[in-house]
Amino acid sequence: MWVASHQLPQSPKSTFYSRLDETLESFGFAEKVRALCAPAYKNTKAGRPGIDPVVYLKMIMVGFFEDLPSERAIAARCADSMSIRGFLNYSLEEKTPEHSTFTVIRQRLGLEMYQQIFTLTLQALREHGLLRGKNLGIDSSVIEANASLRALVHRNTEEQYWDYVKRLAAENGIDPNDTAAVRKFDRHRPGKGSNQEWQNPHDPDAKIGRTKDGATDMIYKPEAVVDLDTGAIVQADVHPGDQADHKEMATRVLEAQQTINQASGEKPDALTVTSVTSDKGYYLVSELQALQHEGIRTVISDPIDNRRVDKLEPEEQRTVRAARRSVQSKSGKDLLRRRGMHIERSFAHILDAGGMRRTTLRGWENLNKRFKLAAAFYNLSQLMRALFGFGTPKQLAAALGRGLFVPIVFILTFASVTVHRIASGGLSLRHALADFFQLIAANKASENGFSSTGG
């Protein structure tokens, strides 16, 4: 009827999460996070004690590394896995936090605290030489919002979409009950997907736009500013889905510079950025002019091939020609290649492998908080890769698989050659076994073969 708690089965931390915990302890993650979040917690004995913010962040880490999109899935995974319980410092008889606590803590911690947690990971990268802050790349992607096009309502009349279309069809002499005719009328209607006319009542911040596969849906635009020398993300924000990429681009680059200064301990007005690289969507002469005025080189291709430079003002002409020279130079082409490599990799890890391509949260602020944490955890994975050779559980599994593959191939090859020699009468079984054990001893002595692969 009764079992002592020390007799319950205990599972050691998995290799990945033990390494992750070791990485967090190396720069005092828990103590610094508790100090940052202290103003959001009241020192009172009334009510149930709040969940440790470190536990909350670790659970979000599990969701990132395990590719879990929803908070329910994260809570279930943390409750089910004994190794993750060890990572959270929860014993087997303790109840892990439920998914509802995620909402409480997320609302309690302001957006500025999430930015400070993100900066905390940048400081750890700086200590290991993984943050340069000289050559930056900027790009955006798409997050599918937790909102449906079918729930759209008109901003003025508050009509549902198809009720509004049927009314317009009837006014144009089309039978509103003829579904095919109404759909044909709507297909050729101009401005039918305007964000100025339509909104989703469940998520007013979501905008109508194109997803990665070209379909029309409710979306947000995540944006990352990446250090092209190391691959570290230095700024992460979520913007409305209908916002142009080049809007206030220079301001966002200078904000990334301030984040780098905070992580590096430099003065707030220090300027370390020497170049900014992006695609054609970020090209705007006024934004390029603002960056070049600060002495920052702009490596951004002009989307207009036959631009009439002679029609521009003298200052704009110098800006366009300087950007064109940067793109055509050897160093500029190298920065463009690195932009594609580092930024696309970060989006693949965060959105496609980190459970954020289609969000389960609603509202710009909630998504911005979650995306900043995902970018911070991506930086942690970069730090782990530099320290241990792997940054995700899949990379660790792949490394272990390669470690098992080498000795198996070695054994099979050795056995095949040995059997052939014994069959031909050129080697006895006793000498074959002696050669086999002698080769194993030599491999162990040289730390190659079995010993280097963990076999």
Side-chain angles (χ1 to χ4, degrees), residues 148-154 157-171 174-189 192 198-199:
S148 173
L149 291 173
R150 296 181 179 180
L152 289 177
V153 296
H154 199 273
T157 63
E158 295 186 356
E159 293 177 280
Q160 293 287 338
Y161 184 84
W162 284 112
D163 295 338
Y164 177 81
V165 173
K166 288 179 180 179
R167 181 172 62 83
L168 291 182
E171 293 175 357
I174 300 174
D175 183 9
N177 296 321
D178 189 348
T179 303
V182 172
R183 288 185 177 275
K184 182 179 180 180
F185 167 76
D186 181 59
R187 189 180 303 116
H188 300 287
R189 186 169 59 87
K192 63 178 182 178
W198 300 96
Q199 70 172 357

Side-chain angles (χ1 to χ4, degrees), residues 30 45 78 96 197 215 250-251 283 303 314 322 340-341 358 383 414 449 453:
K45 297 182 179 179
C78 293
T96 56
E197 294 184 3
T251 302
Y283 193 99
M341 177 179 65
R358 180 171 180 83
L383 179 57
F414 184 85
T453 57

Side-chain angles (χ1 to χ4, degrees), residues 132-151:
R132 304 287 177 78
K134 293 184 179 180
N135 300 304
L136 300 184
I138 182 172
D139 200 0
S140 64
S141 187
V142 175
I143 291 178
E144 298 180 22
N146 186 13
S148 173
L149 291 173
R150 296 181 179 180

Side-chain angles (χ1 to χ4, degrees), residues 373-389:
L373 288 184
F377 302 153
Y378 174 78
N379 287 338
L380 280 179
S381 70
Q382 299 299 303
L383 179 57
M384 291 185 62
R385 179 181 293 182
L387 295 177
F388 308 114

Side-chain angles (χ1 to χ4, degrees), residues 4 25 60 65 69 78 90 96 99 125 144 170 205 264 289 292 337 339 367 386 394-395 418 433:
E25 292 177 358
I60 299 296
F65 288 113
C78 293
Y90 272 72
T96 56
H99 69 90
L125 293 181
E144 298 180 22
D205 296 333
S264 305
Q289 188 174 351
Q292 293 182 11
R337 285 192 296 268
R339 184 207 67 84
L367 282 182
K394 290 184 178 180
Q395 292 176 2
T418 303
L433 292 175

Side-chain angles (χ1 to χ4, degrees), residues 236-250:
D237 293 291
V238 174
H239 302 296
D242 59 345
Q243 177 174 309
D245 289 341
H246 55 68
K247 183 180 179 180
E248 299 181 352
M249 185 260 293

Side-chain angles (χ1 to χ4, degrees), residues 43-276:
N43 294 324
T44 177
K45 297 182 179 179
R48 188 177 62 180
I51 302 298
D52 189 351
V54 177
V55 174
Y56 162 71
L57 293 176
K58 284 187 174 182
M59 294 179 72
I60 299 296
M61 285 183 201
V62 172
F64 172 78
F65 288 113
E66 301 279 339
D67 191 15
L68 303 175
S70 69
E71 294 177 345
R72 288 179 179 269
I74 295 174
R77 174 63 175 156
C78 293
D80 181 67
S81 173
M82 296 178 65
S83 61
I84 295 178
R85 281 175 168 271
F87 174 63
L88 301 176
N89 292 323
Y90 272 72
S91 60
L92 188 61
E93 67 274 10
E94 289 182 293
K95 185 178 181 181
T96 56
E98 298 180 355
H99 69 90
S100 58
T101 60
F102 287 73
T103 303
V104 175
I105 300 176
R106 186 175 59 251
Q107 294 175 351
R108 176 181 296 171
L109 304 180
L111 185 60
E112 181 61 29
M113 291 186 180
Y114 284 82
Q115 178 64 30
Q116 293 176 358
I117 294 171
F118 172 78
T119 306
L120 183 61
T121 60
L122 279 182
Q123 293 175 353
L125 293 181
R126 177 69 177 181
E127 294 175 357
H128 290 82
L130 298 177
L131 178 63
R132 304 287 177 78
K134 293 184 179 180
N135 300 304
L136 300 184
I138 182 172
D139 200 0
S140 64
S141 187
V142 175
I143 291 178
E144 298 180 22
N146 186 13
S148 173
L149 291 173
R150 296 181 179 180
L152 289 177
V153 296
H154 199 273
R155 292 181 182 271
N156 296 328
T157 63
E158 295 186 356
E159 293 177 280
Q160 293 287 338
Y161 184 84
W162 284 112
D163 295 338
Y164 177 81
V165 173
K166 288 179 180 179
R167 181 172 62 83
L168 291 182
E171 293 175 357
N172 286 269
I174 300 174
D175 183 9
N177 296 321
D178 189 348
T179 303
V182 172
R183 288 185 177 275
K184 182 179 180 180
F185 167 76
D186 181 59
R187 189 180 303 116
H188 300 287
R189 186 169 59 87
K192 63 178 182 178
S194 173
N195 285 298
Q196 284 70 35
E197 294 184 3
W198 300 96
Q199 70 172 357
N200 189 294
H202 307 294
D203 190 356
D205 296 333
K207 303 297 181 182
I208 304 173
R210 295 288 184 180
T211 62
K212 292 292 289 185
D213 56 3
T216 302
D217 206 342
M218 308 298 295
I219 64 169
Y220 287 90
K221 274 189 176 181
E223 184 181 70
V225 184
V226 178
D227 189 336
L228 298 183
D229 295 319
T230 63
I233 299 178
V234 298
Q235 189 73 4
D237 293 291
V238 174
H239 302 296
D242 59 345
Q243 177 174 309
D245 289 341
H246 55 68
K247 183 180 179 180
E248 299 181 352
M249 185 260 293
T251 302
R252 298 197 296 273
V253 171
L254 295 179
E255 290 176 354
Q257 174 68 81
Q258 293 180 357
T259 304
I260 295 172
N261 293 339
Q262 292 177 3
S264 305
E266 300 287 344
K267 296 180 180 180
D269 57 348
L271 183 63
T272 62
V273 178
T274 59
S275 71
V276 173

